[in-house]
Amino acid sequence: MSLLAEIWLLLLKDLRLEWRQRTALGGLLLYVGGTVYVSYLSFSFRGGAPPAPAWNALFWVILLFAALGAAGRGLAQESAGLRLYYYTVARPEAVILAKIAYNFLLLLALALPALLLYSLLLGNPVQDEPLYVASIALGALSLATSLTLVAGIAARAGQAGGGTLLAVLGLPVLVPVLLLLIKVSKNALDGLARDASQGPIVALLALNLIVVAVSYLLFPFLWRS
């Protein structure tokens, strides 16, 4: 079986499991919705919507912690027996690439409804909507690629320390990614020419390619450890 076929089958398996365990996805959506609503209440007591820079920064903070919770439900929560079964039926490269694709789709399914609810409750000061939505999609991809490999490392720490290790290792890795994402989204917020966002977008794509390549090369060694 080709690598692409293995990735597709593993991705379909994860999506089917997610559909069967819809309460987990509902819990993540409830977390995002509750966080947005608490933010709305906090600013409504001050008499209105937050300033545009605070609006943008708060939205990315919400997505960051939602991404940490979502990534922790992947490799970090799979049992040793299930990982051993994967080892016998699939290549480790297919496993990590399928997990990246799955986490990307999951984060996108969280981010887009979050943006809609966030805009309804706190207003929408974005002047370039397509660019802002594109930055969210790129952000979901960047968070998925970075956190999936970190989740794989955290999974080797066992059930006791995996979740803590994911947060400890994930936050420093995501700092440069978040800085670039905030810059692109701020440009969309201000309605600047799209040429101003070209450099950060290229840098984000390059970072994603590097992380995917590192995951592809190093995950087999982590898988066998």
Side-chain angles (χ1 to χ4, degrees):
M1 186 182 296
S2 66
L3 179 64
L4 289 177
E6 288 186 15
I7 294 172
W8 176 248
L9 290 175
L10 289 169
L11 177 59
L12 286 180
K13 181 268 301 178
D14 285 333
L15 292 175
R16 287 170 180 167
L17 286 177
E18 188 66 50
W19 180 250
R20 291 176 184 174
Q21 302 172 356
R22 293 187 291 273
T23 54
L25 179 60
L28 288 171
L29 289 171
L30 182 61
Y31 163 78
V32 172
T35 308
V36 171
Y37 185 68
V38 170
S39 302
Y40 161 72
L41 292 178
S42 300
F43 284 103
S44 65
F45 290 147
R46 297 180 60 89
W55 186 94
N56 187 46
L58 181 60
F59 181 71
W60 283 110
V61 168
I62 293 172
L63 288 189
L64 170 62
F65 286 98
L68 287 172
R73 297 175 54 253
L75 286 166
Q77 289 189 352
E78 290 181 345
S79 65
L82 186 57
R83 291 197 296 270
L84 180 61
Y85 174 72
Y86 287 160
Y87 186 80
T88 62
V89 299
R91 283 172 280 190
E93 296 87 352
V95 173
I96 190 64
L97 293 178
K99 288 295 183 183
I100 290 174
Y102 164 74
N103 284 332
F104 166 64
L105 294 175
L106 178 60
L107 291 179
L108 203 59
L110 291 174
L112 294 179
L115 177 62
L116 178 61
L117 181 62
Y118 196 70
S119 300
L120 289 174
L121 295 180
L122 292 170
N124 189 348
V126 178
Q127 299 186 37
D128 191 343
E129 288 281 357
L131 180 59
Y132 199 86
V133 173
S135 72
I136 291 176
L138 189 56
L141 178 61
S142 302
L143 293 172
T145 54
S146 300
L147 289 177
T148 301
L149 180 59
V150 175
I153 298 172
R156 310 309 297 175
Q159 296 295 328
T164 303
L165 188 59
L166 175 63
V168 171
L169 293 179
L171 288 175
V173 170
L174 293 175
V175 167
V177 173
L178 289 173
L179 290 175
L180 291 170
L181 287 171
I182 289 174
K183 186 173 183 179
V184 175
S185 57
K186 182 63 167 58
N187 291 342
L189 200 69
D190 296 336
L192 300 181
R194 295 185 180 179
D195 292 341
S197 303
Q198 184 175 357
I201 290 176
V202 171
L204 280 169
L205 292 175
L207 281 174
N208 287 329
L209 288 176
I210 291 171
V211 174
V212 170
V214 169
S215 301
Y216 184 87
L217 294 174
L218 297 184
F219 188 75
F221 299 99
L222 179 66
W223 186 257
R224 299 186 186 101
S225 62

